[in-house]
Amino acid sequence: MFEQTFRNIDNVLWKEAGCATELDYTEQTSWMLFLKYLDDLEFERSQEAELRGQSYEFIIDEAHRWSRWAAPKKTDGNFDHDNALTGDDLIKFVSFDLFPYLHGFKERAANTDTIEYKIGEIFGEIRNKFASGYSLRDALELIDELSFGSQDEKHELSHLYETKIKNMGNAGRNGGEYYTPRPLIRAMIQIIDPVIGERIYDPAAGSAGFLCEAHDYMRYGTDGQGDNRQMSTAHLQTLQTRTFYAKEKKSLPYVIGIMNMILHGIEAPNFVRTNSLTENLNDIQEKDRFDVILANPPFGGKERKEIQQNFPIKTGETAFLFMQHFIKYLRAGGRAAVVIKNTFLSNSDNASKALRKELLENCNLHTVLDCPGGTFLGAGVKTVVLFFEKGSPTRDIWYYQLNPGRSMGKTNPLNDDDLKDFVTRQANFEDSDNSWSVSIDDVDPENFDLSVKNPNQAVEAPLRDPEVIINEIETLDKESEEILEGIRGML
């Protein structure tokens, strides 16, 4: 229903000089979508209040309301082109009046858990990148065609927005930091099986894919698209306000993450823009801990010395600092599913060995999912997913080597069917050609090497370095020459 509208919006942005990449497209679409959503929400609430004979206090004042400046209408409901700002007047209003007004909500909000505070944060992080007021006018009129009225409309919009995030991720390495394949996320959530009343946390949330998928799983069922689960009003309120918690340090994924959560039905996300790694682990109290952690932390980054001081195991590797963060933030009995580089399992440096030792001794690392190369488009590294529960030491580790039977890539991405066997077998830790168990007694207590070594498949001889092969050929040629010379000498 709205797919063509999204395409038309992209066409407008493609022609706009101020928007050069998919990241810009997503950012600019996000702030317009957010304001349209907010206008629809406020209109719906005002109608409900009127039916109850009550007055409704609008969050946005009349001068800055979407229906006033972005999409003014005549009394007959048709678009009022005569009173719609355009050209330089529109750019001036948006950049120097609207955005500062909306950013001011951060100071005026009663507390950080309100939608007012989120409005202030969002418009303190992004800028209007439209250079042409005529292009902006075209984009606004297209956005106004979208509707957040019904659950079906919200579901379609959330699906289209996810596609936009995916395209952004495929556009370049920086965008890819924000996107984890949704089939992998859904499989992780099915294994963890979060329930109402549990608090779910992602301290490196990016576009909030883990929390959005967890919401759909808890609200609608396994596929996220089925009939609504029967929930009391209290349970729905808990799901809305006291279930999902996120942190993200970069401004663009923060804005996109908030919009993504809103489109999935979480009206005022508990989403904070901060660097999780700046928190001193010694300051964490029981009230700060969570029941479930779902995350794909950035890897390959290097953190400064002052940040490393917040952690008992000192390392510059961002992902390894996040691993310590996860373990500390889980409550006793809490469950986690975390994506990490496969080299974490075997690195021989002291920090890696100490971190694996802590994980095995303080948590039950019950499952390791070995993902094939190409699972993460453009990442250039292989990854594993660690499933663990805090509070009891590891006794046995069940490994599953995911083998889709094809080369993974942009035209052959991971899909839900690829993970069905894993999810089914994991329930009882079944052995198969692709799965096996390892006792903690068989793990070397010196280096705690947890490498993926499938005992059910023959190990292929590793490819040798070309230089080694050339040297070997030269050696054999020399030996042959010497033998031939010896034969000649005997003739």
Side-chain angles (χ1 to χ4, degrees):
M1 181 165 47
F2 297 136
E3 190 171 358
Q4 186 58 50
T5 302
F6 265 69
R7 287 202 195 99
N8 293 340
I9 293 167
D10 278 350
N11 287 337
V12 171
L13 289 163
W14 182 75
K15 298 171 187 174
E16 171 56 41
C19 300
T21 68
E22 283 281 357
L23 276 69
D24 293 329
Y25 297 177
T26 308
E27 178 189 43
Q28 296 304 297
T29 303
S30 295
W31 73 257
M32 292 184 289
L33 264 179
F34 179 79
L35 292 179
K36 167 61 173 163
Y37 160 82
L38 190 59
D39 193 67
D40 282 6
L41 178 67
E42 292 225 82
F43 177 74
E44 183 181 329
R45 287 180 175 176
S46 68
Q47 294 291 99
E48 290 172 357
E50 187 176 332
L51 288 173
R52 294 193 301 268
Q54 300 171 344
S55 60
Y56 174 74
E57 186 175 346
F58 280 81
I59 298 170
I60 307 296
D61 68 25
E62 188 174 356
H64 298 94
R65 224 167 280 163
W66 175 273
S67 51
R68 173 70 178 268
W69 68 270
K73 303 290 197 312
K74 298 177 183 177
T75 54
D76 61 3
N78 292 320
F79 200 91
D80 187 355
H81 290 279
D82 294 332
N83 289 307
L85 290 171
T86 192
D88 291 342
D89 291 338
L90 180 58
I91 296 295
K92 183 179 178 181
F93 172 79
V94 169
S95 298
F96 301 108
D97 187 342
L98 178 68
F99 272 46
Y101 164 77
L102 296 171
H103 179 40
F105 274 101
K106 187 172 182 178
E107 301 298 325
R108 299 191 294 270
N111 59 67
T112 59
D113 294 332
T114 60
I115 194 168
E116 287 88 347
Y117 188 85
K118 300 305 174 192
I119 293 169
E121 277 205 315
I122 288 172
F123 288 92
E125 298 295 345
I126 60 175
R127 299 290 179 270
N128 169 39
K129 291 186 177 178
F130 280 89
S132 165
Y134 299 100
S135 294
L136 178 53
R137 167 52 54 203
D138 290 341
L140 291 170
E141 292 185 21
L142 287 166
I143 291 284
D144 193 59
E145 295 175 9
L146 305 176
S147 172
F148 297 85
S150 70
Q151 189 57 49
D152 286 344
E153 288 172 333
K154 288 179 182 177
H155 179 76
E156 183 186 358
L157 285 169
S158 69
H159 175 73
L160 291 168
Y161 195 69
E162 281 282 356
T163 302
K164 181 169 282 294
I165 295 170
K166 182 178 180 180
N167 291 340
M168 180 189 73
N170 293 343
R173 193 176 72 83
N174 290 334
E177 290 176 5
Y178 319 143
Y179 192 80
T180 305
R182 292 327 186 233
L184 181 61
I185 292 178
R186 286 191 284 271
M188 292 164 67
I189 291 168
Q190 287 181 60
I191 300 299
I192 294 295
D193 191 26
V195 297
I196 296 293
E198 292 186 319
R199 300 199 317 151
I200 303 171
Y201 176 53
D202 183 352
S207 59
F210 282 99
L211 301 184
C212 290
E213 290 292 343
H215 170 272
D216 287 357
Y217 176 84
M218 298 168 77
R219 182 72 177 87
Y220 305 115
T222 305
D223 62 3
Q225 301 177 33
D227 295 333
N228 291 5
R229 290 182 173 178
Q230 295 302 311
M231 287 188 183
S232 66
T233 303
H235 279 173
L236 287 172
Q237 182 69 10
T238 297
L239 196 65
Q240 270 278 335
T241 60
R242 296 187 299 279
T243 300
F244 305 103
Y245 298 83
K247 295 172 186 170
E248 171 57 47
K249 76 172 184 177
K250 295 183 178 180
S251 59
L252 178 56
Y254 168 74
V255 171
I256 292 169
I258 284 185
M259 190 68 237
N260 204 15
M261 291 178 78
I262 285 172
L263 284 173
H264 279 79
I266 307 165
E267 290 181 4
N270 299 305
F271 200 152
V272 180
R273 193 197 166 199
T274 185
N275 182 355
S276 304
L277 300 181
T278 59
E279 300 164 14
N280 192 319
L281 295 190
N282 291 324
D283 297 335
I284 297 171
Q285 302 175 34
E286 187 59 34
K287 66 180 179 62
D288 301 319
R289 293 190 168 95
F290 296 89
D291 302 283
V292 170
I293 290 178
L294 298 164
N296 176 14
F299 40 76
K302 297 296 179 185
E303 295 295 339
R304 303 185 307 274
K305 291 289 185 183
E306 61 266 29
I307 287 182
Q308 294 181 41
Q309 297 310 308
N310 295 321
F311 299 86
I313 300 172
K314 305 295 186 289
T315 172
E317 168 58 57
T318 303
F320 295 176
L321 295 177
F322 267 109
M323 277 299 298
Q324 296 179 70
H325 185 95
F326 300 147
I327 294 170
K328 190 71 173 181
Y329 263 94
L330 269 184
R331 67 164 182 81
R335 313 180 307 288
V338 175
V339 180
I340 199 165
K341 286 191 299 184
N342 70 341
T343 52
F344 167 77
L345 300 176
S346 58
N347 279 353
S348 58
D349 60 283
N350 290 334
S352 297
K353 290 190 287 188
L355 186 49
R356 290 196 296 270
K357 181 176 186 289
E358 180 178 344
L359 177 62
L360 294 172
E361 290 181 350
N362 295 318
C363 300
N364 176 20
L365 176 63
H366 55 80
T367 299
V368 174
L369 171 63
D370 180 40
C371 299
T375 298
F376 289 82
L377 299 179
V381 297
K382 280 200 66 179
T383 56
V384 293
V385 183
L386 309 179
F387 296 83
F388 55 93
E389 183 175 320
K390 185 176 176 180
S392 59
T394 301
R395 297 299 179 201
D396 296 285
I397 306 170
W398 184 74
Y399 288 83
Y400 187 96
Q401 199 163 47
L402 187 61
N403 180 18
R406 65 184 189 281
S407 296
M408 306 293 291
K410 188 173 181 179
T411 57
N412 288 298
L414 198 68
N415 61 55
D416 290 297
D417 287 339
D418 293 329
L419 290 142
K420 280 184 177 179
D421 186 67
F422 162 69
V423 173
T424 300
R425 293 186 186 279
Q426 196 277 342
N428 295 305
F429 304 112
E430 295 177 17
D431 285 351
S432 70
D433 288 346
N434 295 314
S435 57
W436 66 97
S437 293
V438 173
S439 169
I440 193 64
D441 296 333
D442 296 327
V443 174
D444 188 333
E446 293 297 321
N447 59 27
F448 300 97
D449 191 319
L450 302 175
S451 301
V452 178
K453 299 168 185 173
N454 189 343
N456 304 322
Q457 295 180 0
V459 179
E460 295 181 4
L463 294 175
R464 294 187 296 165
D465 189 278
E467 191 68 30
V468 173
I469 296 172
I470 291 170
N471 289 339
E472 188 173 311
I473 291 171
E474 288 176 344
T475 301
L476 290 172
D477 284 347
K478 190 174 182 181
E479 289 176 356
S480 298
E481 268 185 44
E482 290 173 354
I483 292 169
L484 287 171
E485 285 299 318
I487 293 172
R488 283 194 185 99
M490 290 186 291
L491 293 175

